[in-house]
Amino acid sequence: MSSEMATHLKPNGGAEFEKRHHGKTQSHVAFENTSTSVAASQMRNALNNLCDSVTDPAEKQRFETEMDNFFALFRRYLNDKAKGNEIEWSRIAPPKPEQVVAYNDLPQQESVEFLNKLAVLKLNGGLGTSMGCVGPKSVIEVRDGMSFLDLSVRQIEYLNRTYGVNVPFVLMNSFNTDSDTANIIKKYEGHNIDIMTFNQSRYPRVLKDSLLPAPKSANSQISDWYPPGHGDVFESLYNSGILDKLLERGVEIVFLSNADNLGAVVDLKILQHMVDTKAEYIMELTDKTKADVKGGTIIDYEGQARLLEIAQVPKEHVNEFKSIKKFKYFNTNNIWMNLRAVKRIVENNELAMEIIPNGKSIPADKKGEADVSIVQLETAVGAAIRHFNNAHGVNVPRRRFLPVKTCSDLMLVKSDLYTLKHGQLIMDPNRFGPAPLIKLGSDFKKVSSFQSRIPSIPKILELDHLTITGPVNLGRGVTFKGTVIIVASEGQTIDIPPGSILENVVVQGSLRLLEH
């Protein structure tokens, strides 16, 4: 497609897009074959029609910017498909020593002067649907009647109060979580914390067969749209105006993490290290265990630190990728970024993060019709590491990675293994070794089922491994030690009586323990 055609197809108000994307458009023309050029042209026309369906001027400008950014992503996706873009495995090597710094080698002083230059950003776009909850995942109760959001607010309030600073708390919401979050954060008004929010982009799902957008208008049903992954944080932070607001108040560094990672607290040593080394980007990594083999890892790619996700790995090398020997670390998604660098990279249109095509199906409009296959084009914030100067990883202790993705994780953080201090979970010093591995079966997938079957969290201070499958009910005051496996046969139930102490035991079938 010629540059003249691209200009003609561009929606009104797209001058900023042309300024930031024109060079990229021309440089990619040579790679496009006829089919990708036609697909790009059809998508641009469809996006123009979506933009025309917006009547409010302010909303129209924001929507056009989002559609322009989506089109750039879609175009890159087409080009990658045409070129068969795949990472060359022979060029991949484990990270060099200077690309991953050990946490214990960081400066021991904890200078607080840089806290005035810091903001904390939580990725708050996810819903709690995978755990059977309605609304933002960050409002699920995780500990002592408090949600993820409550714990984060408490941590920052303590930081501000202790050091006499005013670290802003920033939430990146999605169109799924924005209105609920706005109502929830009202309860923090009057607290010692400044909360700012912005929305990540809303992109149209792409029909797999036609490569056209699923929505027919800007206000089409929610299922036609998706938030495009946390790699969108750079563009959305910039487009929302929050980036400039933070810079205006003297904030230069953002500490970003997932809302559900209870281990992601502000660390003054890492902050000091970032300033000392003039790093524009730091990724927190932790040692890989057998439970983390699918997690993204840092690699050296021809002298440059990059993130490698399992989706990028050729099938014949997947086992090598999962090896703990070759790739020792995985990405916690705790990221420290220099805001001026973010601004520079976005304005210069330097971001070209690897695209993750996420295939899904959405229910058909009418009964009896087949579900519709769609593709979501997503990016990950960790993939941006290669665009920043002096970017590197810090190998942090496991305590900084404490995510709650499932009810198995929920059981762990609710247990006697941790105590709560100023919003932070602290592992019991009597615990020997890392946290136990807990695997709860599908009967515990939803929070409501988990709570009804385990009304009282068992004591697990001396537990190494727990597996529970099938309909199992735990009484109050149960203690697990060593390795405990409880498997209920199909159609049967296992009840563990109150006060039971199970140590290195397998319980299976329909057995009901009568003695303890």
Side-chain angles (χ1 to χ4, degrees):
M1 183 164 64
S2 69
S3 57
E4 290 81 14
M5 188 176 181
T7 305
H8 175 69
L9 291 170
K10 202 168 66 277
N12 295 332
E16 181 62 25
F17 171 78
E18 182 72 7
K19 184 174 71 177
R20 284 173 42 202
H21 294 275
H22 187 65
K24 175 175 284 190
T25 301
Q26 286 189 327
S27 68
H28 279 174
V29 167
F31 296 109
E32 292 188 357
N33 58 28
T34 305
S35 63
T36 59
S37 181
V38 168
S41 175
Q42 290 177 335
M43 174 60 80
R44 183 69 268 183
N45 285 330
L47 294 177
N48 289 349
N49 291 334
L50 286 175
C51 291
D52 289 341
S53 70
V54 182
T55 53
D56 178 75
E59 175 67 17
K60 190 179 184 73
Q61 186 175 5
R62 183 196 63 77
F63 188 75
E64 285 178 349
T65 300
E66 283 191 354
M67 293 308 98
D68 287 342
N69 288 336
F70 169 76
F71 182 63
L73 189 69
F74 178 75
R75 191 113 182 218
R76 225 160 32 86
Y77 167 68
L78 292 179
N79 290 330
D80 287 351
K81 280 182 70 176
K83 290 184 290 182
N85 256 17
E86 207 173 60
I87 202 154
E88 288 191 38
W89 193 257
S90 60
R91 300 185 185 185
I92 291 173
K96 297 176 181 176
E98 65 269 21
Q99 290 169 335
V100 179
V101 178
Y103 182 81
N104 290 336
D105 291 342
L106 298 185
Q108 292 307 303
Q109 73 270 26
E110 295 186 346
S111 174
V112 300
E113 62 184 287
F114 302 119
L115 278 175
N116 286 312
K117 298 180 183 295
L118 180 71
V120 171
L121 196 163
K122 291 286 185 183
L123 302 171
N124 188 49
L127 295 169
T129 47
S130 62
M131 294 174 70
C133 296
V134 177
K137 185 179 180 184
S138 59
V139 301
I140 294 175
E141 182 192 323
V142 285
R143 181 80 195 210
D144 298 358
M146 288 184 284
S147 67
F148 295 103
L149 213 50
D150 293 331
L151 294 178
S152 294
V153 167
R154 184 165 286 199
Q155 289 166 19
I156 296 171
E157 283 184 322
Y158 176 71
L159 199 68
N160 289 341
R161 189 169 61 246
T162 303
Y163 299 108
V165 292
N166 186 21
V167 173
F169 183 46
V170 186
L171 295 169
M172 181 171 85
N173 301 327
S174 68
F175 63 87
N176 289 318
T177 63
D178 183 52
S179 58
D180 284 342
T181 302
N183 289 326
I184 291 159
I185 62 177
K186 287 176 184 174
K187 70 177 182 178
Y188 304 123
E189 289 175 4
H191 286 226
N192 182 30
I193 187 167
D194 186 3
I195 301 179
M196 309 167 80
T197 66
F198 67 98
N199 270 17
Q200 67 183 115
S201 300
R202 186 185 74 156
Y203 283 177
R205 286 170 156 173
V206 177
L207 299 170
K208 191 173 183 180
D209 293 336
S210 65
L211 289 181
L212 288 171
K216 300 294 181 258
S217 71
N219 59 359
S220 292
Q221 56 188 349
I222 290 287
S223 63
D224 289 339
W225 305 87
Y226 72 100
H230 40 61
D232 180 62
V233 67
F234 305 101
E235 292 272 8
S236 292
L237 192 61
Y238 180 89
N239 292 332
S240 67
I242 294 291
L243 191 153
D244 282 333
K245 284 182 182 177
L246 290 171
L247 286 172
E248 285 166 12
R249 59 186 281 174
V251 173
E252 295 178 12
I253 296 170
V254 162
F255 172 46
L256 172 151
S257 63
N258 296 338
D260 63 10
N261 181 6
L262 297 177
V265 298
V266 171
D267 189 296
L268 296 180
K269 286 171 66 174
I270 299 176
L271 178 61
Q272 177 81 38
H273 170 72
M274 185 168 184
V275 175
D276 288 349
T277 58
K278 295 182 172 60
E280 292 184 344
Y281 184 108
I282 287 176
M283 175 187 290
E284 291 188 33
L285 307 154
T286 195
D287 290 348
K288 190 192 288 188
T289 69
K290 289 182 179 178
D292 315 308
V293 292
K294 293 183 179 180
T297 188
I298 196 169
I299 58 168
D300 174 73
Y301 197 79
E302 299 182 318
Q304 187 182 53
R306 286 175 66 165
L307 180 72
L308 179 65
E309 299 278 8
I310 193 166
Q312 299 168 260
V313 178
K315 287 181 181 177
E316 64 270 23
H317 294 290
V318 166
N319 287 335
E320 193 179 345
F321 171 81
K322 290 180 177 180
S323 163
I324 295 174
K325 291 180 181 177
K326 182 166 184 176
F327 301 111
K328 299 178 182 177
Y329 318 108
F330 78 97
N331 171 28
T332 64
N333 224 38
N334 298 349
I335 310 287
W336 301 72
M337 303 183 296
N338 180 290
L339 275 183
R340 295 192 186 283
V342 171
K343 185 178 172 75
R344 179 193 75 229
I345 286 168
V346 172
E347 289 185 339
N348 292 345
N349 191 36
E350 294 171 12
L351 282 172
M353 292 170 287
E354 289 80 3
I355 297 169
I356 306 164
N358 188 356
K360 290 179 179 286
S361 63
I362 53 178
D365 291 335
K366 297 177 182 176
K367 284 186 178 180
E369 292 184 357
D371 289 349
V372 181
S373 294
I374 55 96
V375 177
Q376 297 180 178
L377 305 181
E378 302 175 6
T379 57
V381 64
I385 188 169
R386 63 192 177 103
H387 298 297
F388 290 83
N389 296 327
N390 199 19
H392 61 275
V394 172
N395 183 20
V396 299
R398 186 75 183 196
R399 67 173 183 268
R400 294 191 57 75
F401 183 68
L402 193 58
V404 180
K405 305 289 185 190
T406 64
C407 288
S408 301
D409 300 327
L410 193 59
M411 180 174 171
L412 184 69
V413 299
K414 281 178 171 285
S415 74
D416 63 335
L417 199 58
Y418 295 97
T419 53
L420 197 59
K421 188 176 182 182
H422 308 303
Q424 184 176 353
L425 291 182
I426 309 292
M427 187 181 283
D428 190 313
N430 295 314
R431 171 71 183 180
F432 182 78
L437 186 62
I438 296 176
K439 294 181 179 178
L440 302 179
S442 57
D443 289 78
F444 301 86
K445 186 175 181 180
K446 295 184 177 181
V447 172
S448 56
S449 304
F450 168 81
Q451 290 172 335
S452 65
R453 294 195 177 280
I454 309 180
S456 171
I457 304 298
K459 294 182 173 66
I460 63 168
L461 192 60
E462 298 176 53
L463 177 70
D464 297 320
H465 179 112
L466 173 68
T467 294
I468 303 179
T469 59
V472 175
N473 301 306
L474 302 187
R476 295 187 175 275
V478 171
T479 301
F480 292 141
K481 299 181 180 183
T483 297
V484 177
I485 299 172
I486 307 172
V487 181
S489 299
E490 189 174 347
Q492 302 293 331
T493 300
I494 293 179
D495 293 328
I496 306 296
S500 299
I501 299 174
L502 277 64
E503 182 173 4
N504 295 322
V505 66
V506 176
V507 181
Q508 56 186 338
S510 60
L511 180 67
R512 298 191 176 202
L513 296 188
L514 301 176
E515 298 178 6
H516 57 271

